[in-house]
Amino acid sequence: MPDRAIQAAKRRQALGIGAFLLLVAGGVSVAYHLIHADAVPYHRGEQAFARGDYAGALPHYEIARAAGLQAPPFDWHHATALMETGRAAEALPLLEGILARDPTNRAALISAVGVAQATRDPAAGIALYARLGPREKLPPADLARLVDLHQQAGQLADAIACQRIIVAAYPDRADQRALLGELLLRADERAAALAEFEAVLRLDPAQRPARLALARLHAWAGRFDAAATAYRAYLGEN
């Protein structure tokens, strides 16, 4: 007959193993629930996103975000879905979060600036560019967007400063000089504007708007003969 002490020890061992298995099962269940809570909706959202069904992806993305999912690709797809469904303002914080982690993310930067302009919040776009350092070091494409943002914000002097950097980088681009001339004209910097429009016409004599601007500048300065000459040249190219 087995020793009673041995039997008791075996029973305690069996109970211990059973309790351990229950704890493991419970932990697996909790872990599965936590993973399932964000992974499944995210996967479903990604399937809809891949089909171009941005409206269909959003409810799943929102469930995944509420469950605590955080990942750069998720933020980008969620922001894109919001922008594509006319909810651009809600996308801006997500885009700003992406840029906070990676300021050099070009797609996020361009999208965020576009959202800022579309929602009439140019200050937000200007702040995003400020994170990248001095504007003198920005690529011309970014400077062009910054010119637009400063104009939208009513900061004409800053728009002119950015445009001057572009012109310095591309001195033979008549279109860029023409834009600088227009900005200077709006700022009532007539002498500087005149110099730019003259440079435009040296580069591209067919620039009719520049000829008309030149005629007006000469007339405002009382140089009526020069104004008449410029205006005749403008009319003669019709």
Side-chain angles (χ1 to χ4, degrees):
M1 183 174 181
D3 187 276
R4 290 183 179 180
I6 294 174
Q7 289 181 330
K10 288 182 177 180
R11 284 195 296 270
R12 286 195 299 272
Q13 185 181 38
L15 287 171
I17 292 172
F20 174 75
L21 291 174
L22 285 172
L23 286 172
V24 169
V28 169
S29 177
V30 170
Y32 174 79
H33 175 74
L34 291 174
I35 294 170
H36 186 80
D38 60 17
V40 171
Y42 172 64
H43 179 65
R44 289 173 179 167
E46 288 292 273
Q47 288 179 321
F49 187 93
R51 296 193 303 269
D53 181 9
Y54 303 112
L58 278 175
H60 300 297
Y61 284 161
E62 288 162 1
I63 293 170
R65 188 166 298 283
L69 180 63
Q70 293 182 347
F74 172 45
D75 288 346
W76 173 243
H77 285 183
H78 193 180
T80 300
L82 287 167
M83 289 186 289
E84 291 290 342
T85 52
R87 295 165 59 182
E90 297 174 60
L92 190 56
L94 296 175
L95 295 167
E96 289 175 334
I98 294 170
L99 290 168
R101 293 189 296 269
D102 178 13
T104 63
N105 189 313
R106 305 295 305 164
L109 177 62
I110 292 168
S111 296
V113 170
V115 169
Q117 288 182 293
T119 56
R120 301 185 182 278
D121 186 12
I126 292 168
L128 290 171
Y129 276 120
R131 295 179 187 175
L132 301 180
R135 59 191 173 200
E136 289 79 7
K137 295 184 178 181
L138 291 174
D142 287 333
L143 282 168
R145 295 188 194 96
L146 201 48
V147 168
D148 291 339
L149 287 165
H150 281 306
Q151 288 189 81
Q152 190 176 12
Q155 300 167 351
L156 196 53
D158 287 305
I160 290 170
C162 292
Q163 189 61 29
R164 284 190 185 280
I165 298 171
I166 296 174
V167 168
Y170 299 102
D172 296 333
R173 286 282 300 271
D175 58 333
Q176 296 301 328
R177 284 191 173 276
L179 178 54
L180 177 57
E182 291 168 10
L183 292 171
L184 290 165
L185 198 54
R186 285 173 53 193
D188 205 30
E189 296 184 31
R190 295 183 179 181
L194 180 67
E196 288 304 325
F197 285 124
E198 287 176 338
V200 168
L201 291 170
R202 286 195 296 272
L203 292 167
D204 182 8
Q207 275 262 8
R208 296 185 70 248
R211 288 199 181 280
L212 183 58
L214 202 63
R216 289 172 174 168
L217 283 163
H218 283 310
W220 288 333
R223 296 185 293 269
F224 298 113
D225 288 345
T229 299
Y231 194 62
R232 281 195 297 271
Y234 167 76
L235 293 175
E237 294 181 7
N238 281 332

